[in-house]
């Protein structure tokens, strides 16, 4: 048996060492260049984020949009910076970009639902059907005060102090009722009176009651109208406008005061009854 060719191995090892020594300055130079690009790039991205935040604050841009755009710009710039740094090390960027594109396509196919929610979040932030702090109701049957608008979902706090998380894709395709946007709310509740009641007297009494409420706006003026002839009562609708923050307090006060004033005037608020006739 012949032993290993030591001369051949030594020759190859010497060539490798010579190549490494010859390439070392180029590699070190590329590495230093890449590190400089990385540090300067990160510094510039941080500077740009601060500048962007100042511009948004000066123009009073919605906080949700500030956070969303800031994070999106940060991710895009860091991806670009990563590609530039890799190119400084001699990696072919065209191949690298193709790999990123293929990976992005594969991830996109597997996360279709999340992309739908992302698109819904973009639409909500762009068209602003509601903002943080608004009280809204969706056609899906959920209502509450908007706490956070994230990229993928929106968080509502219900009047029962429950946190509800709704996917933005679902919310952006729903019918939204925004109770806060106009700055005022109009209470709209019915009070039933007996069929033997003097309706003009009842209307005048209720209108006087609601007009005296401390939270009721004079413009638009309060109103009381006859809306329907029910099975057990004639329904009067009480309609009064107030500010958003005083809505619930005013509505409770009005219901209590209207009931008390009707009782004092001897006007009955009937409840559903059934008459049973027995034949022998």
């Amino acid at each position: 048996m012949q032993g290993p060719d030591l001369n051949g191995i030594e020759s190859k090892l010497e060539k490798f060492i010579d190549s490494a020594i010859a390439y070392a300055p180029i590699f070190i130079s590329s590495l230093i260049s890449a590190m400089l690009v990385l540090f300067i790039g990160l510094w510039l991205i941080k500077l740009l984020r601060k500048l962007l935040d100042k511009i948004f604050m000066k123009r009073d841009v919605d906080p949700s949009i500030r956070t969303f755009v800031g994070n999106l710009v940060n991710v895009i710039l860091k991806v670009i910076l990563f590609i530039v740094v890799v190119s400084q090390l001699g990696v072919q960027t065209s191949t690298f970009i193709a790999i990123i594109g293929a990976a992005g396509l594969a991830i996109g196919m597997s996360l279709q639902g999340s992309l739908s929610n992302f698109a819904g979040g973009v639409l909500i932030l762009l068209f602003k059907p509601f903002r943080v702090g608004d009280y809204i109701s969706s056609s899906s049957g959920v209502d509450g005060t908007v706490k956070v608008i994230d990229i993928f979902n929106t968080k509502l706090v219900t009047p029962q102090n429950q946190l509800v998380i709704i996917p933005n894709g679902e919310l952006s395709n729903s019918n939204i009722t925004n109770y806060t946007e106009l700055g005022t709310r109009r209470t709209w509740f019915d009070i039933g009176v007996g069929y033997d009641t003097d309706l003009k007297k009842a209307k005048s009494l209720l209108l006087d009651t609601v007009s005296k409420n401390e939270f009721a706006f004079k413009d638009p003026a309060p109103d009381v109208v006859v809306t329907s002839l029910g099975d057990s009562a004639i329904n009067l609708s009480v309609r009064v406008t107030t500010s958003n923050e005083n809505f619930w307090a005013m509505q409770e006060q009005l219901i209590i005061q209207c009931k008390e004033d009707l009782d004092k005037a001897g006007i009955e608020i009937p409840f559903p009854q059934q008459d049973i006739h027995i034949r022998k």
Side-chain angles (χ1 to χ4, degrees):
M1 295 179 59
Q2 293 183 351
D5 187 358
L6 295 178
N7 292 330
I9 294 175
E10 289 178 359
S11 175
K12 290 179 180 179
L13 183 60
E14 287 177 359
K15 289 181 179 179
F16 173 76
I17 294 173
D18 291 340
S19 299
I21 293 173
Y23 184 73
I26 300 174
F27 175 76
I28 293 172
S29 175
S30 299
L31 183 61
I32 293 173
S33 176
M35 294 296 290
L36 286 174
V37 170
L38 177 63
F39 288 124
I40 294 173
L42 290 175
W43 177 76
L44 287 175
I45 291 173
K46 188 176 180 180
L47 188 66
L48 185 60
R49 281 291 305 275
K50 289 183 178 179
L51 180 62
L52 200 60
D53 287 340
K54 287 182 179 179
I55 293 173
F56 284 159
M57 291 180 67
K58 188 177 293 184
R59 297 189 177 182
D60 197 24
V61 177
D62 187 88
S64 300
I65 296 178
R66 286 209 305 258
T67 303
F68 173 75
V69 173
N71 290 337
L72 186 62
V73 169
N74 184 57
V75 170
I76 292 173
L77 290 179
K78 283 185 176 179
V79 169
I80 295 173
L81 177 62
F82 180 68
I83 294 173
V84 173
V85 169
V86 168
S87 67
Q88 289 293 317
L89 295 174
V91 178
Q92 293 294 327
T93 55
S94 57
T95 305
F96 190 73
I97 292 173
I99 294 172
I100 292 178
L105 181 61
I107 293 172
M109 293 292 290
S110 62
L111 298 175
Q112 289 183 9
S114 297
L115 290 177
S116 174
N117 292 330
F118 174 79
V122 172
L123 291 175
I124 290 171
L125 292 171
L126 285 177
F127 295 105
K128 301 177 184 177
F130 53 83
R131 303 169 186 266
V132 173
D134 287 356
Y135 187 87
I136 66 170
S137 175
S138 71
S139 58
S140 60
V142 180
D143 63 302
T145 303
V146 180
K147 182 180 180 182
V148 178
I149 304 174
D150 285 331
I151 295 176
F152 296 107
N153 54 62
T154 294
K155 298 177 181 177
L156 304 181
V157 177
T158 67
Q160 295 80 24
N161 199 36
Q162 298 169 329
L163 182 65
V164 179
I165 301 174
I166 308 175
N168 284 334
E170 175 186 333
L171 198 58
S172 63
N173 291 318
S174 300
N175 295 325
I176 302 295
T177 302
N178 191 326
Y179 295 96
T180 310
E181 178 69 22
L182 299 180
T184 61
R185 288 187 66 177
R186 191 168 178 85
T187 188
W188 198 290
F189 62 88
D190 289 342
I191 295 179
V193 296
Y195 269 88
D196 58 349
T197 301
D198 184 340
L199 293 181
K200 292 183 179 179
K201 178 183 176 182
K203 281 186 60 175
S204 176
L205 185 148
L206 290 174
L207 192 57
D208 182 61
T209 299
V210 298
S211 298
K212 291 178 181 177
N213 188 275
E214 60 179 320
F215 299 127
F217 284 3
K218 306 301 180 185
D219 184 23
D223 198 10
V224 178
V225 297
V226 179
T227 56
S228 65
L229 301 175
D231 293 335
S232 304
I234 299 174
N235 293 315
L236 303 178
S237 179
V238 178
R239 304 170 183 180
V240 189
T241 302
T242 188
S243 60
N244 289 325
E245 57 269 20
N246 295 325
F247 175 78
W248 295 110
M250 185 194 73
Q251 178 158 285
E252 181 186 28
Q253 291 178 8
L254 288 179
I255 292 173
I256 294 172
Q257 196 62 50
C258 286
K259 170 69 167 60
E260 290 180 353
D261 289 352
L262 288 173
D263 288 343
K264 289 177 183 177
I267 298 175
E268 179 189 8
I269 301 178
F271 52 88
Q273 303 179 53
Q274 287 184 341
D275 293 332
I276 299 176
H277 301 275
I278 301 176
R279 294 181 180 179
K280 292 185 179 179

